[in-house]
């Protein structure tokens, strides 16, 4: 609705076997959206789709996606933001790949149909470096404890 605000948070710390999610957000005049999705997958197949329509003047959206792919998992994350009115939007998609038998695909899409709108995005898929792991292990953590700590921080 006009001048409404939505804080949407979805967190899945337990790994689903198969999970498909489709979210659609439509923002009208002065509406604000803060959407966060955080998911960890082991032995999983996951598809996450999110589309945000900035249909009203001065609508504002930020969408964050955080995914961690452990063993034998595939994660596909497609986020799209469409500006149809003077508005602002930002997509932030990040993945952490823990095992070589897994795969992450992140697809951020921006569609601007209004010259007074600003849309931005950042996307990255990374790994845990040996330096970070060794640092935490030198502080008395086991490798598994160090990885768990990094993953928990990443999904926050």
């Amino acid at each position: 609705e006009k001048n409404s605000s939505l804080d949407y948070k979805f967190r899945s710390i337990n790994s689903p076997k198969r999970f498909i999610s489709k979210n659609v957000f439509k923002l009208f005049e002065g509406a604000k959206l803060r959407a966060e999705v955080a998911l960890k997958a082991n032995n999983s197949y996951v598809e996450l789709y999110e589309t945000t329509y900035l249909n009203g003047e001065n609508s504002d959206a930020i969408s964050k996606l955080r995914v961690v792919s452990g063993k034998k998992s595939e994660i596909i994350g497609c986020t799209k933001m469409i500006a149809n009115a003077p508005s602002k939007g930002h997509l932030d998609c990040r993945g952490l790949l823990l095992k070589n038998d897994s795969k992450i695909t992140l697809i951020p899409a921006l569609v601007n149909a209004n010259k007074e709108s600003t849309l931005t995005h950042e996307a990255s898929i990374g790994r845990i470096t040996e330096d970070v792991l060794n640092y935490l292990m030198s502080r008395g953590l086991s490798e598994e404890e160090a990885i768990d700590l990094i993953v928990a921080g990443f999904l926050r």
Side-chain angles (χ1 to χ4, degrees):
E1 293 182 11
K2 183 178 177 179
N3 297 318
S4 63
S5 179
L6 174 63
D7 286 326
Y8 173 83
K9 292 184 182 184
F10 175 83
R11 294 192 189 282
S12 176
I13 303 305
N14 295 323
S15 298
K17 176 98 175 131
R18 181 175 174 81
F19 181 72
I20 299 173
S21 172
K22 297 179 182 178
N23 291 316
V24 176
F25 302 105
K26 295 181 181 179
L27 280 67
F28 298 100
E29 184 180 338
K32 296 192 180 327
L33 169 69
R34 299 299 176 261
E36 294 180 22
V37 174
L39 185 132
K40 181 180 176 184
N42 283 307
N43 298 305
S44 303
Y45 178 80
V46 176
E47 292 180 27
L48 302 168
Y49 301 96
E50 183 179 288
T51 304
T52 301
Y53 294 92
L54 300 165
N55 290 334
E57 189 172 331
N58 296 319
S59 53
D60 183 352
I62 297 175
S63 177
K64 294 181 180 181
L65 174 63
R66 299 287 183 272
V67 295
V68 176
S69 186
K71 62 184 176 182
K72 297 181 183 173
S73 295
E74 182 174 1
I75 300 173
I76 300 168
C78 299
T79 54
K80 181 186 261 189
M81 199 164 285
I82 303 165
N84 294 315
S87 53
K88 309 188 284 195
H90 180 72
L91 297 177
D92 182 0
C93 307
R94 296 176 195 250
L96 185 59
L97 190 65
L98 300 180
K99 301 287 183 183
N100 284 331
D101 61 358
S102 292
K103 179 177 165 183
I104 298 175
T105 304
L106 297 177
I107 306 165
L110 302 176
V111 179
N112 195 340
N114 187 288
K115 69 181 179 113
E116 294 177 31
S117 294
T118 301
L119 299 176
T120 58
H121 82 78
E122 52 188 297
S124 66
I125 301 172
R127 62 185 176 88
I128 297 174
T129 64
E130 291 298 318
D131 290 349
V132 171
L133 211 50
N134 289 333
Y135 174 80
L136 291 172
M137 290 169 58
S138 74
R139 299 295 188 260
L141 296 176
S142 69
E143 182 175 356
E144 185 176 326
E145 290 170 330
I147 291 171
D148 288 347
L149 182 65
I150 293 165
V151 168
F154 181 81
L155 291 175
R156 265 200 156 278

